[in-house]
Amino acid sequence: FFPGFPALLALGAAIGLPHVAAGLLVSFVAGGVAAGALARLGDLDGGSGVGRLAVLMWVFAPPAIFLAAPYTESLFLGFALPAWLCARRGMWAYAGVLAAAACTVRVSGVFLLAALGVHWLTSRERQWRDLPWLLVPLVPLAAWTSYLRVTTGDWLAWLDAQAQEWNREFTVSLTAFSNTWDA
């Protein structure tokens, strides 16, 4: 696992919270932050009131159960959606720091970083001085993989653990589709 969520659980335990309670608290707070950012993004793109509708549809969709559980989804979105909102507003320093925090939670932070890069490239107001902020998310990724290399001898120990314990591994898109279709 990436270290962001477990670190917050450990922090909760250090102040006396059971892991489940700490996980629920993190998910609740991060989910609220994510909902606020989603509402602002919806209003920014669709006009007044669209954000509220987007949040309602998001929290009442069946997969929203994962937002209420002590999983990484809420925490990741609590960093990723505000990062995207900051990027949309041209606040690249905040976007880079928030994306870096998202990269401590899930490998999906790499895709967020790619999206932010594309957004910067296509932004009419882009400034070259803002580009280094998009490199900040690489710091926790490099630190995490370096830590894994030092402690386990494997740069991608997290990926190998998922393959070994949960039978999750990279597959060709056609194979993934075929497996899903058969299931």
Side-chain angles (χ1 to χ4, degrees):
F1 292 103
F2 278 64
F5 187 68
L8 289 176
L9 295 182
L11 179 64
I15 62 171
L17 287 175
H19 282 107
V20 172
L24 289 170
L25 180 63
V26 166
S27 292
F28 177 74
V29 171
V33 169
L38 179 61
R40 286 183 176 87
L41 283 166
D43 288 345
L44 186 65
D45 286 335
S48 181
V50 171
R52 182 176 295 145
L53 179 61
V55 170
L56 286 173
M57 292 178 73
W58 180 52
V59 299
F60 286 111
I65 189 68
F66 296 105
L67 302 173
Y71 292 160
T72 60
E73 280 75 3
S74 288
L75 184 59
F76 177 75
L77 290 171
F79 290 128
L81 289 174
W84 188 255
L85 179 62
C86 288
R88 291 290 314 278
R89 291 180 171 169
M91 301 164 50
W92 293 103
Y94 291 113
V97 170
L98 288 164
C103 286
T104 69
V105 178
R106 298 178 68 109
V107 71
S108 307
V110 172
F111 302 107
L112 172 63
L113 176 57
L116 290 172
V118 169
H119 182 60
W120 182 84
L121 284 171
T122 60
S123 175
R124 291 182 183 162
E125 297 88 29
R126 75 174 174 265
Q127 301 285 328
W128 285 101
R129 69 172 188 263
D130 295 326
L131 185 59
W133 287 108
L134 295 180
L135 301 177
V136 172
L138 297 176
V139 172
L141 292 171
W144 177 237
T145 56
S146 297
Y147 170 80
L148 291 175
R149 174 72 170 125
V150 168
T151 58
T152 69
D154 184 1
W155 293 99
L156 298 174
W158 64 272
L159 184 61
D160 294 339
Q162 287 187 10
Q164 181 180 349
E165 300 299 327
W166 296 299
N167 198 27
R168 294 178 67 188
E169 53 194 32
F170 287 118
T171 58
V172 177
S173 299
L174 187 57
T175 303
F177 177 79
S178 176
N179 291 343
T180 302
W181 184 264
D182 292 343

